[in-house]
Amino acid sequence: MSILLTASITLISLALVFYSLGVWAERISRYLKLWHVFAFWTGFIFDMSGTWAMHLIAKQPFDLTNPHTLTGQIALWLMLAHALWATIVVKRGNEKELINFNKYSVIVWLFWLVPYFSGLYIGMKF
């Protein structure tokens, strides 16, 4: 196994760990905290890094008509929007927003799982 492949697998796995930790800790506490925002950003950075590493080892060109590529791109943009919005919500400090933010977090996390698991399947298949 190449170093780049190992790095991409490790980075994407770390994205799963940090993003899940932030989303589920927030969901359980029912209140968005600053450390949740750091976990979202950390997961996003690991995901971007792992995606870039996978892009470098891909044998095919970038193709948005590929379902895995399309869902992966949508998930990355959703994660970015989620982390940015969480940052704004924490900075504003509005109690209602801090309490209700977890609903949005779980939706983004569930969508993020689609390319994560399709990537696992593709990796095992080939």
Side-chain angles (χ1 to χ4, degrees):
M1 187 180 301
S2 76
I3 291 174
L4 206 48
L5 180 58
T6 302
S8 66
I9 292 168
T10 302
L11 290 166
I12 293 295
S13 297
L14 286 168
L16 175 68
V17 169
F18 279 94
Y19 205 66
S20 297
L21 175 68
V23 167
W24 288 105
E26 179 206 2
R27 177 72 175 169
I28 290 166
S29 71
R30 300 269 200 248
Y31 194 87
L32 179 63
K33 299 173 186 163
L34 182 60
W35 79 266
H36 299 140
V37 176
F38 283 113
F40 301 154
W41 279 110
T42 303
F44 174 72
I45 291 166
F46 278 129
D47 197 30
M48 283 293 299
S49 302
T51 300
W52 179 250
M54 285 185 237
H55 173 72
L56 294 176
I57 60 176
K59 293 176 177 45
Q60 296 144 349
F62 182 82
D63 178 13
L64 277 177
T65 63
N66 176 299
H68 176 69
T69 303
L70 180 61
T71 58
Q73 283 298 302
I74 293 169
L76 280 171
W77 286 103
L78 282 172
M79 286 175 75
L80 176 61
H82 176 248
L84 284 169
W85 189 246
T87 303
I88 292 166
V89 167
V90 165
K91 187 173 177 160
R92 278 201 299 227
N94 179 298
E95 285 297 311
K96 186 175 180 181
E97 290 178 343
L98 291 165
I99 292 168
N100 291 320
F101 193 82
N102 68 82
K103 296 168 189 162
Y104 176 54
S105 297
V106 171
I107 291 168
V108 173
W109 180 81
L110 285 169
F111 191 89
W112 183 83
L113 289 177
V114 173
Y116 180 82
F117 284 116
S118 71
L120 279 177
Y121 174 76
I122 291 166
M124 289 186 291
K125 187 177 175 185
F126 300 101

